[in-house]
Every structure is written in C-alpha cells, then in structure tokens.
Amino acid sequence: GGALDAFKKKQQIMSTLTAFTGNEGDAKKEFNYVVEQADRIGFAVEESAQAYAKMGIAAKSAGLDTQATRYIFDDEQGENSG
C-alpha cells in the first residue's frame, strides 16, 4: 500500500544520497536539508529529494562537493518556484 511504497521510495532516495555523500550520516543530513528546502518553497518532498539525489550523483562525478550541489539545487528550486 501507500505506506510501504513511501518507505521503499525513501529507502531508494537514501541509497542514492549515501552514494553521493559516502556515508549514511551525511545522507541523512542531506535528506533533512532537502525536506527543509521543499517545505520552505512548497514543493513535494519526495520529488525534490529524488531530484537532489540524482543531481548529487552527477555533481560528484563532475568533481563538485556537497556545498556546490546545494547551491545549484537552491538555484534550480528558486527558478521553479515562480
């Protein structure tokens, strides 16, 4: 059902964030960051977290750090909010 699907999606997002950050602790910090940003702007958390996780993997492969990824994500979220 809905709760199981939500759990699976969150686990998938956390797995991607862990690949991006290198460890679960930092992945949780990044997930919490995305939740805060999504709430602030009024975006859906799940979609925002999936987008951020994918962006993080791409940024990491391009040699960017977490701070640069956040900057890009914030910029994109701002553009999409209005």
Side-chain angles (χ1 to χ4, degrees), residues 41 43 73-82:
I41 298 171
F43 286 179
F73 183 73
D74 288 346
D75 190 52
E76 285 296 313
Q77 294 286 31
E79 286 182 16
N80 291 328
S81 68

Side-chain angles (χ1 to χ4, degrees), residues 10-67:
K10 183 177 179 187
Q11 290 301 107
Q12 191 174 36
I13 291 165
M14 290 303 295
S15 176
T16 306
L17 285 172
T18 301
F20 163 45
T21 63
N23 65 70
E24 286 185 25
D26 287 340
K28 288 178 184 176
K29 289 179 189 174
E30 293 309 298
F31 183 80
N32 291 335
Y33 160 77
V34 173
V35 169
E36 289 174 12
Q37 296 305 308
D39 285 347
R40 180 178 63 82
I41 298 171
F43 286 179
V45 171
E46 185 177 294
E47 286 81 9
S48 294
Q50 287 175 331
Y52 182 75
K54 289 177 184 177
M55 181 184 294
I57 294 294
K60 182 178 180 181
S61 68
L64 299 176
D65 63 9
T66 304
Q67 195 64 35

